[in-house]
């Protein structure tokens, strides 16, 4: 406790406080810009931290992490373009609510849930770092494979359309992640002689193209839609306490899920928000309302993705294993300053662990104040004429795709996936499973191959262990259950249509 | 083209791509250190996509073939759709990328792209030309400065 309090006092010194506030603000801004993620911002700032003390460096980077994850909800809600991949699920209900004329309310729910989820996971970070990291490190490759499989089935079941189309979309995402260098042997595969994809497709180019560029094309087609006008009278972001009451259980459940997913190495905020959203949808009495702009969806997604921040820091601090992509940069920052994350960190440099705890805690409050105070300016994004906004978004997309590897080829890839994403969405293939499949593809392959190596090529080994066995059986059950539910829904709709016709 | 045929067309495209990748993955050697090798998972994924795409085609076509009633037309929105604007935007984006490829200065190509795409989306309203020009210049210069001088991103 004394260590944490002294870290809080250090955080209140002018320079460290400046880095905390600046990092949070920069994270929010970068998170809110499509194609420029908080992780990219952290990567860009990493060289600057060479010249800082380790405490200031970690304060800056952890604050950016918190700000970036939350900042992603702004464009997810206002433009249906997730500023961060973790905000994809927020678009499902956030954007429809904004389109109904309540962008402020949608943002209010998102910010409040982010704050709650972040602080919930912070409690877990402080309390469970030692014991839970020991459990997480014991997960076998097949366990991770089972979790990924379940995530894919869940995201496919999430869409309002066919689960078959959702699964096709998810497997296409995995397929797109495969060309390039074989992660096990180092040999080239599926490049068709194109050397620019020797290292695979750029993650940012594919994600920005399929999700952001395709959406701009969509909105360009619908540019004459009158519903674009936002009723500014309803733009207050204030959500009454009585409106939060029905969300309490949703908040706790989503934060719990997000925290747990964050603890699992390699599975980050996107899966956290996805699982939290699915849990909220499946346990709801009105699941059909999900995707139409209800608060439950926004709350689940944002509490879920922000809760992964604290969760993902647990394996990083306790074992030196990054819980997400962003944690990789934090790991690098620690190593640059001559520190080795792991159990020894608590023994040798406890102040470093405590400054991470403290900056994670305080930056959530800073994020809340900044997002709340800046809300009126953020909402004005909706009133900016789209003919000014879309070209600027496209330039950001080009910069984001180019900046990943400094190659024009990645911009062409982005353009191609813009067209593919547009065609898919136009014909009812949801893009959520595609981008999630793309992000989880490498983990899927690594887990399967490592698992089979350990089991001497036996797939049955999946069922001999509880985590992998349960997740695989649960995935199969979810798939069959979703198919049957859809079949029943179609029958009911057909019956309803016949009655109306009569 | 009807909605059904668009969906069938996209599914057939997925099958074609998956078949091509499947064929290419057959060239990959079996694994030395792991039981799968580099080609097995791509084949599994391609096979799954092909099976699911066939199921999706059946899901779309069967009700239409079995039903005697003509297929329902796509619901029309209460406003005019502008696919032409999306096409023009796509062409401009391609030209913008090409200009970057040809080493046209980033600031100049960005200002031109911003101005032209703004005018396309604003449907060439003459009264918006001065505004669009000012915003394009400010936007292009500001973005180039922010990313190069502040964020130190290596722009083209």
């Amino acid at each position: 406790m004394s260590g944490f309090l002294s870290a809080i006092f250090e955080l209140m010194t002018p320079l460290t406080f400046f880095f905390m506030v600046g990092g949070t603000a920069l994270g929010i801004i970068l998170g809110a810009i499509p194609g420029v993620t908080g992780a990219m911002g952290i990567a860009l700032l990493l060289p600057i931290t060479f010249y800082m003390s380790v405490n200031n460096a970690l304060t800056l980077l952890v604050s950016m992490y918190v700000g970036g994850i939350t900042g992603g909800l702004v464009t997810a809600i206002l433009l249906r373009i997730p500023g961060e991949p973790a905000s994809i699920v927020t678009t499902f209900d956030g954007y429809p609510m904004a389109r109904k004329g309540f962008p402020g309310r949608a943002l209010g729910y998102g910010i409040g849930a982010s704050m709650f989820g972040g602080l919930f996971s912070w409690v877990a970070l402080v309390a469970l770092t030692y014991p839970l990291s020991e459990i997480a490190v014991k997960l076998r490759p097949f366990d991770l494979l089972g979790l990924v499989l379940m995530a894919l089935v869940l995201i496919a079941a999430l869409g309002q359309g066919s689960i078959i189309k959702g699964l096709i979309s998810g497997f296409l995402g995995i397929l797109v992640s495969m060309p390039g260098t074989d992660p096990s042997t180092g040999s080239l595969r599926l490049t068709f002689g194109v050397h620019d994809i020797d290292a695979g497709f750029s993650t940012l180019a594919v994600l920005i193209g399929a999700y952001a560029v395709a959406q701009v094309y969509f909105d360009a087609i619908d540019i004459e839609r009158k519903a674009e006008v936002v009723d500014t009278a309803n733009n207050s972001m204030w959500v009454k306490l009585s409106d939060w009451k029905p969300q309490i259980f949703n908040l706790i459940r989503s934060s719990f899920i997000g925290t747990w997913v964050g603890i699992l190495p390699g599975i980050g905020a996107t899966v956290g928000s996805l699982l939290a959203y699915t849990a909220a949808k499946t346990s709801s009495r009105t699941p059909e309302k999900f995707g139409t702009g209800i608060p439950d969806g926004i709350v689940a997604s944002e509490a879920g993705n922000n809760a992964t921040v604290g969760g993902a820091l647990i394996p990083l601090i306790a074992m030196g294993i990054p819980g997400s992509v962003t944690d990789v940069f934090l790991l690098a920052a620690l190593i640059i300053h001559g520190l080795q994350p792991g159990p020894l960190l608590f023994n040798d440099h406890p102040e470093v662990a405590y400054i991470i705890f403290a900056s994670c805690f305080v930056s959530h409050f800073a994020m809340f104040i900044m997002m709340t105070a800046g809300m009126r300016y953020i909402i004005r994004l909706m009133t900016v004429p789209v003919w000014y906004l879309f070209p600027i978004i496209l330039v950001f997309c080009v910069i984001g795709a180019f900046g990943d590897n400094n190659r024009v080829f990645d911009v062409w890839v982005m353009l191609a996936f813009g067209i593919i994403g547009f065609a898919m969405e136009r014909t009812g293939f949801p893009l959520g499973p595609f981008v999630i499949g793309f992000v989880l593809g490498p983990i899927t392959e690594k887990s399967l191959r490592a698992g089979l190596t350990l089991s001497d090529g036996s797939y049955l080994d999946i069922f001999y262990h509880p985590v992998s066995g349960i997740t695989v059986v649960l995935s199969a059950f979810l798939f069959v259950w979703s198919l049957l539910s859809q079949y029943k829904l179609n029958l009911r709709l057909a019956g309803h249509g016949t009655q109306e016709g009569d | 083209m009807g909605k059904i045929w668009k969906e069938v067309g996209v599914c057939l495209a997925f099958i074609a791509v998956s078949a091509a990748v499947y064929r290419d993955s057959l060239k990959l050697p079996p694994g030395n250190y792991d039981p799968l090798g580099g080609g097995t998972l791509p084949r599994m994924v391609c096979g799954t996509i092909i099976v699911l795409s066939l199921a999706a085609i059946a899901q779309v076509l069967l009700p239409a073939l079995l039903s005697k009633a003509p297929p329902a037309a796509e619901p029309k929105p209460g406003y005019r759709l502008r696919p032409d604007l999306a096409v023009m935007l796509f062409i401009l984006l391609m030209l913008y990328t090409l200009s970057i490829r040809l080493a046209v200065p980033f600031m100049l190509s960005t200002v031109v792209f911003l101005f032209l795409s703004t005018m396309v989306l604003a449907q060439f309203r003459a009264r918006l030309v001065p505004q669009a020009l000012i915003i394009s210049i400010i936007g292009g210069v500001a973005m180039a400065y922010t990313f190069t001088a502040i964020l130190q991103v290596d722009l083209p």
Side-chain angles (χ1 to χ4, degrees):
Chain A
M1 189 65 187
S2 62
F4 175 69
L5 283 178
S6 56
I8 289 279
F9 283 128
E10 180 165 354
L11 209 59
M12 292 302 140
T13 56
L15 190 61
T16 314
F17 187 77
F18 169 77
F19 283 124
M20 190 273 296
V21 172
T24 311
L26 203 55
I28 291 170
I29 293 166
L30 293 178
I33 299 171
V36 186
T37 62
M40 185 184 173
I42 290 173
L44 291 171
L45 282 182
L46 205 53
I48 298 171
T49 64
F50 293 168
Y51 308 103
M52 294 179 186
S53 71
V54 64
N55 286 0
N56 284 345
L58 287 172
T59 300
L60 178 74
L61 299 178
V62 171
S63 305
M64 275 191 79
Y65 189 5
V66 171
I69 288 278
T70 314
L73 73 87
V74 180
T75 45
I77 287 173
L78 298 183
L79 299 169
R80 202 191 163 206
I81 299 171
E84 294 273 335
S87 307
I88 288 168
V89 183
T90 308
T91 61
F92 295 172
D93 277 284
Y95 184 68
M97 188 186 269
R99 293 294 288 268
K100 283 178 183 172
F102 303 102
R105 201 168 167 75
L107 288 164
Y109 273 114
I111 294 165
S114 295
M115 169 101 163
F116 186 91
L119 291 178
F120 184 97
S121 74
W122 175 82
V123 173
L125 170 69
V126 174
L128 304 174
T129 301
Y130 275 131
L132 280 187
S133 62
E134 283 176 12
I135 296 170
V137 83
K138 285 176 185 168
L139 284 177
R140 298 155 53 257
F142 276 151
D143 298 337
L144 278 176
L145 181 72
L147 285 165
V148 170
L149 193 65
M150 197 166 74
L152 270 183
V153 175
L154 284 170
I155 181 80
L158 270 184
Q160 288 193 318
S162 153
I163 188 177
I164 292 176
K165 285 183 177 175
L167 280 177
I168 292 173
S169 191
F171 279 104
L172 273 173
I174 294 178
L175 190 64
V176 171
S177 75
M178 286 178 172
T181 309
D182 182 342
S184 290
T185 62
S187 57
L188 289 179
R189 65 174 184 185
L190 312 175
T191 59
F192 293 91
V194 181
H195 290 297
D196 284 313
I197 53 172
D198 283 357
F201 288 112
S202 153
T203 307
L204 274 179
V206 174
L207 294 183
I208 293 170
Y211 225 84
V213 177
Q215 185 58 42
V216 172
Y217 294 152
F218 253 99
D219 286 341
I221 289 175
D222 290 339
I223 204 161
E224 293 189 5
R225 179 167 45 197
K226 299 296 178 200
E228 295 284 346
V229 180
V230 177
D231 182 3
T232 49
N234 289 321
N235 271 349
S236 167
M237 61 140 287
W238 183 249
V239 180
K240 285 186 286 185
L241 272 179
S242 57
D243 291 335
W244 279 110
K245 270 186 185 171
Q247 303 297 337
I248 288 173
F249 184 65
N250 186 11
L251 275 169
I252 295 171
R253 180 188 49 215
S254 304
S255 304
F256 180 80
I257 292 171
T259 305
W260 177 242
V261 168
I263 291 168
L264 301 176
I267 301 179
T270 308
V271 178
S273 62
L274 173 65
L275 290 179
Y277 185 91
T278 310
K281 187 182 177 185
T282 48
S283 63
S284 171
R285 288 178 186 170
T286 53
E288 72 281 358
K289 285 188 179 173
F290 276 74
T292 62
I294 59 169
D296 307 49
I298 303 168
V299 167
S301 167
E302 282 305 315
N305 68 27
N306 268 71
T308 60
V309 174
L313 287 170
I314 294 173
L316 178 75
I317 297 170
M319 298 176 292
I321 298 172
S324 68
V325 176
T326 315
D327 284 278
V328 175
F329 301 116
L330 294 177
L331 181 72
L334 284 167
I335 293 168
I336 284 166
H337 286 88
L339 300 166
Q340 186 56 51
L344 288 178
L345 190 69
F346 270 107
N347 294 327
D348 299 342
H349 299 282
E351 74 283 358
V352 173
Y354 287 124
I355 200 76
I356 293 176
F357 291 172
S359 52
C360 181
F361 179 69
V362 179
S363 59
H364 273 99
F365 291 97
M367 172 276 292
F368 185 80
I369 293 166
M370 282 178 206
M371 294 283 278
T372 311
M375 186 57 64
R376 70 183 74 173
Y377 306 107
I378 295 166
I379 287 178
R380 283 183 190 169
L381 274 175
M382 289 293 284
T383 58
V384 172
V386 289
W387 47 79
Y388 294 129
L389 198 58
F390 288 165
I392 292 171
I393 288 172
L394 287 175
V395 174
F396 273 114
C397 292
V398 169
I399 293 170
F402 180 84
D404 203 15
N405 296 311
N406 289 344
R407 291 191 313 177
V408 177
F409 176 78
D410 293 332
V411 184
W412 293 117
V413 170
M414 181 198 77
L415 285 175
F417 278 96
I419 293 295
I420 292 167
F422 176 79
M424 283 174 67
E425 186 117 324
R426 202 73 180 165
T427 47
F429 289 88
L431 287 176
F434 174 81
V435 292
I436 286 167
F438 177 69
V439 171
L440 295 182
I443 303 171
T444 312
E445 178 158 24
K446 193 178 153 193
S447 307
L448 180 65
R449 293 173 78 167
L452 283 174
T453 306
L454 288 173
S455 68
D456 285 334
S458 167
Y459 287 93
L460 285 175
D461 204 45
I462 290 173
F463 301 99
Y464 293 157
H465 295 272
V467 177
S468 53
I470 289 169
T471 48
V472 168
V473 170
L474 208 59
S475 304
F477 170 76
L478 270 170
F479 177 66
V480 175
W481 176 76
S482 293
L483 273 181
L484 287 175
S485 302
Q486 206 171 340
Y487 179 70
K488 281 180 189 169
L489 184 70
N490 288 346
L491 279 182
R492 203 167 56 190
L493 288 174
H496 186 66
T498 314
Q499 278 176 3
E500 274 187 352
D502 293 341
Chain B
M1 193 162 62
K3 189 181 173 219
I4 290 172
W5 295 112
K6 280 181 194 167
E7 288 186 26
V8 171
V10 169
C11 286
L12 289 174
F14 291 157
I15 291 172
V17 170
S18 301
V21 175
Y22 190 99
R23 192 161 174 253
D24 199 54
S25 71
L26 291 171
K27 296 174 192 163
L28 295 167
N32 290 325
Y33 305 105
D34 70 296
L36 280 185
T40 310
L41 192 64
R43 282 195 288 277
M44 283 176 172
V45 172
C46 290
T48 310
I49 292 171
I50 290 169
V51 169
L52 287 172
S53 298
L54 290 172
I57 290 173
Q59 201 179 32
V60 170
L61 279 183
L62 279 180
L65 291 174
L66 294 175
S67 170
K68 288 174 185 172
E74 277 187 79
K76 289 193 175 176
Y79 54 91
R80 194 162 55 122
L81 294 174
R82 298 301 304 266
D84 54 324
L85 297 185
V87 171
M88 279 195 267
L89 206 57
F90 173 69
I91 293 168
L92 283 174
L93 202 52
M94 281 189 50
L95 292 174
Y96 179 44
T97 310
L98 195 64
S99 73
I100 292 171
R101 179 77 186 85
L102 296 172
V104 176
F106 176 78
M107 198 185 290
L108 176 68
S109 55
T110 302
V111 169
V112 172
F113 170 75
L114 284 176
F115 177 70
L116 291 177
S117 50
T118 301
M119 290 316 297
V120 163
L121 290 171
Q123 296 165 53
F124 302 101
R125 291 179 192 133
R127 67 182 172 85
L128 290 175
V129 171
Q131 271 183 39
L133 197 60
I134 291 167
I135 288 175
S136 303
I137 293 170
I138 293 172
V141 173
M143 272 192 270
Y145 178 76
T146 305
F147 282 97
T148 53
I150 299 175
L151 293 176
Q152 298 189 331
V153 174
D154 199 6
L155 291 178

